[in-house]
Amino acid sequence: MKSFIYSISLFAMLSVAAVPAYAQQSVSSTVSRKSDTRAASTKKTGVSDRARGRMSADGVSATDADLAWMKVVYRSLDLQDPANAALYFPEQSVDGQENLFRIMMHLLASGELTAYEYLDGREAFTDEYRLKVRDMLDRFHIYYTEGKGYSEKRQVFDIEESDIPSTEVLGYYMVERWEFDRRAGRMRTKVEALCPVLHRSEEFGHEAVRYPMFWVRYADIRPYLAGQLIFTDDDNNLPQSTYDDYFNLGLYKGEIYKTRNLRNKSMAQLYPDPEDLKHAQDSIENRLKSFDKNIWVPSLEEMQSKAGTATAANDSIAPAKKSTRKISGTRVSSKRPSKRVKSSSVKSGSTATRSVRNRKR
């Protein structure tokens, strides 16, 4: 009997000791599965969920209560401009480096990026105008196949590298936002959206036609651009910057083709004359770049410094000297002598006289 009770007690003790070990093993296996899933997601996209959330939080604009002034402009980026060459090259994927359009297409095909329809004259980033990737691929004649795990809810596609028309995307439309933060006391420039523009000629020898493809919000694609290293000039071939650095530092160059206005008209519609259009574009550029400088009242020291500079400039001007000419050792003034006008006086008698010649007596 005692041996039976001893056996039961020993079995109970072993069972109690095994429960924490099993629980610890179960928790560790759960954590391992979650970490494996997270690692697989990171390996697939190159961006972890934590990094994606942090980048999205950093891209949030200041609230309207913090802003004292805001201007939304639309730019057209020509990739043939040397300043924008970093967005076009490399044309083919080389050593893990891809141009901007290839990154967009890979993310759209895998369902990791949301794009929106291009609407003529306006843009709407709502579910109503969410881009259907299959329709876009068919519209621009891009060959594709349904990817692994394809379903109606999760549409993924496989696109061969040679079928991506990256060499035909020769421009981008950009929505740029300039805002003055009253709390920080400075001007900030942010890229809100990007639209690749396809240049395609219907017939050989004809001028290429521009086809805006779709809009992508910069906040959505920013986490992926922050992990893609590029080199921005020909002097240093070591990729040390990212696409996110390129846009945040404003290294791109593009002309303004529209500003947000009440009538929703482009610059070409508002200024049909080319000279007036160029003047208006330059005026907007100068206003944007000098807005934060003109908003502050100069201090007393700055005013005194400007006054001292103006006084020194006036004192440095020497008085004008009379120019003289030297002829055969004689110094002759170049000032012409004034002519004296003599008034001729006519003498007349004080009384009239009569002739008495041949007068009869």
Side-chain angles (χ1 to χ4, degrees), residues 171-293:
Y172 283 91
Y173 290 154
M174 172 190 293
V175 181
E176 191 181 53
R177 175 169 170 163
W178 293 68
E179 55 188 25
F180 183 81
D181 191 346
R182 71 177 74 210
R183 291 190 177 183
R186 64 185 181 91
M187 179 75 78
R188 294 186 299 188
T189 307
K190 294 185 178 181
V191 178
E192 284 197 335
L194 295 170
C195 172
V197 181
L198 190 72
H199 291 59
R200 181 172 290 175
S201 179
E202 299 296 337
E203 297 181 6
F204 180 77
H206 288 69
E207 185 178 357
V209 181
R210 298 182 180 183
Y211 297 97
M213 300 183 68
F214 49 80
W215 283 110
V216 172
R217 292 192 303 181
Y218 186 77
D220 296 339
I221 198 175
R222 184 188 177 193
Y224 306 97
L225 299 184
Q228 181 67 52
L229 292 175
I230 60 173
F231 61 92
T232 57
D233 54 46
D234 295 333
D235 294 334
N236 187 4
N237 298 139
L238 184 65
Q240 294 181 334
S241 303
T242 64
Y243 278 118
D244 189 43
D245 298 332
Y246 176 85
F247 286 110
N248 287 334
L249 296 176
L251 301 180
Y252 53 85
K253 183 179 179 181
E255 66 176 9
I256 299 175
Y257 71 90
K258 182 183 176 182
T259 60
R260 185 169 293 177
N261 56 85
L262 297 176
R263 292 180 291 175
N264 195 28
K265 290 187 176 182
S266 64
M267 298 286 291
Q269 293 174 329
L270 295 175
Y271 305 96
D273 185 72
E275 294 183 359
D276 295 341
L277 175 62
K278 180 62 176 176
H279 178 73
Q281 290 173 337
D282 295 341
S283 178
I284 295 174
E285 288 282 5
N286 295 332
R287 176 171 171 78
L288 292 175
K289 294 178 180 179
S290 61
F291 180 85
D292 56 342
K293 299 179 182 178

Side-chain angles (χ1 to χ4, degrees), residues 3 61 84 93 97 100 135 137 150 199 248 271 283:
S3 61
S61 301
N84 304 324
S93 299
Q97 293 184 356
L100 180 59
D135 295 344
L137 297 176
Y150 176 88
H199 291 59
N248 287 334
Y271 305 96
S283 178

